Amino acid sequence: MSAVIEIPKGARSEVLIFALDMPPEQAKFLRDEDGALAQVLGIEHLDREQVEIFPTADLEDLGLLGYLREGLGVSEKDLSEHGMALDGLTGWVLVLRARAFDGEETRLTPATPLRLIARLGEVKTDWTAPGVIPSAAAQPSLRMSPRAARNRARRIGAALFAVVMLLIALLIWALVT
């Protein structure tokens, strides 16, 4: 039994990398069988969409570091700290995102064949705006309020209706006389 790994409540941007020190058949079983991975991690359930189990050889030229950088958005700082351990990793790996626990506080007690290699953080997106956009195209350009525009459209529509009805009445009067 490995040490207990604490996942704090609300953790969403953390990525755990485990080496799977087991035969490929067992790793494939963990990947394909529902509930097997949760049992090996010592928990009841997890979101399988946030878990990946694969051999590092499948990454070919990209490599594990490239996959973590480009595919998962792991920060360069974390990759530089753990780069040597991650780059030398061969065999099967488990990439586990903290989102797999639905924001709940979780205590992982991974079985012996799972060896934690790195605990990394994803780069968070900066959603702040730079402030006022200087372009004139970004400024509002309403010349009249929507209510005034609706009233104007109704008046034009009523006038057109009246003209068409008057023409129809004249046409009927001309045919009758």
Side-chain angles (χ1 to χ4, degrees), residues 46-128:
L46 70 147
D47 181 2
R48 297 282 298 186
E49 294 292 318
Q50 303 299 328
V51 176
E52 295 181 69
I53 299 174
F54 55 87
T56 56
D58 284 358
L59 297 174
E60 296 175 352
D61 294 338
L62 183 62
L64 186 57
L65 287 176
Y67 172 72
L68 293 172
R69 179 183 304 110
E70 303 297 325
L72 294 180
V74 172
S75 71
E76 285 294 329
K77 179 183 173 228
D78 283 351
L79 288 177
S80 64
E81 285 179 24
H82 302 285
M84 295 297 284
L86 293 169
D87 200 32
L89 202 55
T90 59
W92 286 75
V93 294
L94 162 65
V95 177
L96 177 63
R97 297 174 81 180
R99 293 178 185 170
F101 310 114
D102 296 324
E104 298 295 320
E105 182 177 353
T106 307
R107 293 171 50 97
L108 301 176
T109 53
T112 305
L114 273 68
R115 184 170 38 96
L116 181 65
I117 301 298
R119 195 170 184 163
L120 311 168
E122 293 175 297
V123 175
K124 294 181 179 160
T125 304
D126 181 14
W127 294 103
T128 59

Side-chain angles (χ1 to χ4, degrees), residues 2-19:
S2 298
V4 175
I5 301 169
E6 299 280 340
I7 307 294
K9 183 174 183 159
R12 304 211 32 92
S13 63
E14 201 168 27
V15 179
L16 302 162
I17 310 297
F18 291 90

